[in-house]
Amino acid sequence: MGGGGLAELVRPGRRVALADGVGCPLGVLPELSAAAAAAGGVDLLLGWAAAPLDGLDLGAFASARTIMGGYGLRAAVDAGAVHYLPVRFGAVPALLHGALRPDVLV
């Protein structure tokens, strides 16, 4: 990257998928949120969150979806800030290859 970090990758109309579980890059959540807010029109795809994703501003994204909410996203799902997609776990690879294919993986 040419020094712009996530801002170079996060563009309007793109879908960003965030690594989940213990692999979630918590340190970049504020930067990701700022990049999404600046770009506008960015969709977010989340997986399992073991703890709240402090530093992630869900309002910076046009939409936020999860395929497996977990404890960390419970409040956001309950509030309607993150939409839970009720899909079979075995269908996730096809969704990630097709309809939910991310443009950027963080």
Side-chain angles (χ1 to χ4, degrees), residues 10-103:
V10 178
R11 306 281 174 125
R14 288 198 170 168
R15 178 176 294 114
V16 175
L18 186 63
D20 64 356
V22 297
C24 184
L26 299 175
V28 301
L29 297 182
E31 180 185 354
L32 175 60
S33 298
V42 177
D43 295 321
L44 180 64
L45 181 61
L46 300 163
W48 178 70
L53 300 176
D54 295 333
L56 183 65
D57 176 9
L58 294 170
F61 298 89
S63 72
R65 299 178 184 142
T66 184
I67 52 174
M68 200 166 117
Y71 166 78
L73 293 176
R74 182 177 184 163
V77 170
D78 287 347
V82 174
H83 301 284
Y84 172 71
L85 302 173
V87 299
R88 294 178 189 260
F89 195 61
V92 172
L95 285 171
L96 293 177
H97 184 71
L100 294 178
R101 185 180 184 96
D103 299 298

